[in-house]
Amino acid sequence: MQLSNYHSHCNFCDGRSYPEDFVRFAVARGFRAYGFSSHSPLPFETFWNMSRDDMDEYLAEIARLKAKYEGQIELYVGLEVDFLDRTYNASIPYFRNLPLDYRIGSIHFLPLSPVLEERNMACIDGAYSEFARTVDAFFEGDIRRMVRRYFEAEMEMVEAGGIDIVGHIDKIYMNGQRYPGFSLDAEWYRRPLLDLLDFVRERGLMVEVNTKNLVKKGETYPHRQFLGELRSRRIPVMVNSDCHYPDLVNDGRAEGFRLLEQAGFDATMELVGGKWTEIGLRREK
Ligand SMILES: [Zn+2]
Ligand SMILES: [Zn+2]
């Protein structure tokens, strides 16, 4: 099992500690590689996204840590870039020109208007009460419409490009499954997800197995029942904890690898010397 993590947050966004605290925990747990992926700047300020003004300092701080911990752990700098719409996503020059080791593309917001302001954003990743109000008010109380909109946005994100990894690809089910009428087994849910996986494969992207809610809620993104669909499409994967607290750098990893093995995977993608490399599951570290 690889001891690595490429999806993580720190106090440059909504992570709860300094980058170096995360590195110390990763080193203490014997990690081979660790990557930072702060929430990207947006056209508007939020509580959890990085500010554009802090980008230089973020890059400089991770560069400092890379040098300081050389020989102990491989450190990488990435971003978790929000896909908002075709005009604001990882493919725009601002993100393409940043000197990053990798980019994760994620959807947290579905814009309700072409005017990209926070008040026009339907957040899919926040509190359930807010999510339910959004489905009621903007999707006519029909969870199928929200799901369709989410997977359309995921398709647009993959189409737009500029990313290496699709982040928490089906996060919509976290809140969606609590809304009346939702079903992971319904054709209206499965078909757009499977079409998305086909498209991800066609574009040669990686998909993370996100374990942020695995220990707490028993959930992975992608949902465990779809891991076999990734495997049959030969989609490359890695296990990421999406941690916001240093003591959670390794949260859910062992179980995540177990689920991958059960689904028939025999390798994960790992950054080794700066290159994405397929590493067998059974190789130590
Ligand atoms: Zn995210
Ligand atoms: Zn994240």
Side-chain angles (χ1 to χ4, degrees):
M1 181 177 83
Q2 281 283 317
L3 284 168
S4 64
N5 179 35
Y6 307 98
H7 188 157
S8 76
H9 300 279
C10 62
N11 64 349
F12 279 92
C13 54
D14 61 343
R16 303 307 166 96
S17 203
Y18 297 103
E20 189 156 8
D21 292 336
F22 289 86
V23 174
R24 285 203 201 99
F25 270 79
V27 168
R29 281 160 176 69
F31 271 43
R32 184 193 59 77
Y34 192 85
F36 290 92
S37 60
S38 288
H39 287 292
S40 65
L42 293 177
F44 46 86
E45 298 283 328
T46 72
F47 165 71
W48 53 87
N49 289 82
M50 265 184 86
S51 170
R52 213 179 254 227
D53 296 341
D54 293 336
M55 185 57 73
D56 288 346
E57 197 185 332
Y58 172 62
L59 296 170
E61 174 60 4
I62 309 305
R64 182 186 75 82
L65 294 172
K66 279 185 185 187
K68 180 173 174 182
Y69 288 88
E70 199 182 346
Q72 291 183 68
I73 186 169
E74 286 187 18
L75 294 177
Y76 294 100
V77 63
L79 273 185
E80 180 179 16
V81 185
D82 274 277
F83 179 90
L84 293 183
D85 66 10
R86 289 174 199 272
T87 69
Y88 199 91
N89 59 66
S91 75
I92 64 175
Y94 172 72
F95 292 116
R96 286 201 188 267
N97 292 330
L98 291 173
L100 299 168
D101 294 315
Y102 61 92
R103 293 153 177 84
I104 300 173
S106 294
I107 289 177
H108 308 97
F109 301 108
L110 298 172
L112 299 166
S113 142
V115 181
L116 300 181
E117 293 174 1
E118 191 172 15
R119 64 193 168 92
N120 294 331
M121 296 293 145
C123 179
I124 64 109
D125 199 13
Y128 174 69
S129 55
E130 187 199 334
F131 178 91
R133 270 199 305 275
T134 303
V135 183
D136 293 345
F138 298 102
F139 296 88
E140 297 172 11
D142 186 348
I143 189 63
R144 291 172 303 180
R145 290 174 64 117
M146 167 78 114
V147 165
R148 191 188 317 143
R149 179 67 205 292
Y150 174 83
F151 283 119
E152 280 169 6
E154 287 278 339
M155 291 291 266
E156 286 176 13
M157 178 176 81
V158 172
E159 169 88 43
I163 59 173
D164 307 284
I165 302 164
V166 181
H168 45 69
I169 193 165
D170 56 359
K171 193 83 182 251
I172 191 70
Y173 90 77
M174 178 185 81
N175 278 319
Q177 66 189 345
R178 297 176 63 184
Y179 198 90
F182 183 90
S183 169
L184 285 171
D185 301 316
E187 193 60 12
W188 56 261
Y189 183 85
R190 288 175 55 84
R191 184 41 50 200
L193 174 55
L194 297 181
D195 288 347
L196 173 61
L197 294 179
D198 287 340
F199 194 36
V200 164
R201 173 62 196 162
E202 193 184 311
R203 289 298 165 107
L205 297 179
M206 298 177 275
V207 171
E208 69 167 357
V209 175
N210 184 301
T211 63
K212 182 181 177 189
N213 287 335
L214 183 49
V215 173
K216 220 171 11 178
K217 299 184 187 174
E219 292 175 5
T220 54
Y221 316 102
H223 189 283
R224 64 182 74 198
Q225 82 178 48
F226 292 101
L227 291 176
E229 299 286 352
L230 276 82
R231 176 61 185 154
S232 64
R233 286 167 178 75
R234 299 283 190 270
I235 293 173
V237 297
M238 83 285 296
V239 177
N240 285 330
S241 66
D242 194 358
C243 55
H244 290 64
Y245 295 84
D247 60 335
L248 298 180
V249 291
N250 207 23
D251 206 50
R253 179 162 321 279
E255 176 70 358
F257 272 86
R258 204 179 60 75
L259 292 171
L260 281 180
E261 264 189 78
Q262 271 177 4
F265 282 89
D266 52 18
T268 54
M269 297 305 289
E270 305 291 340
L271 274 171
V272 180
K275 281 201 164 46
W276 288 106
T277 307
E278 196 177 72
I279 302 283
L281 288 189
R282 297 208 169 271
R283 200 185 301 178
E284 276 305 292
K285 273 184 101 176

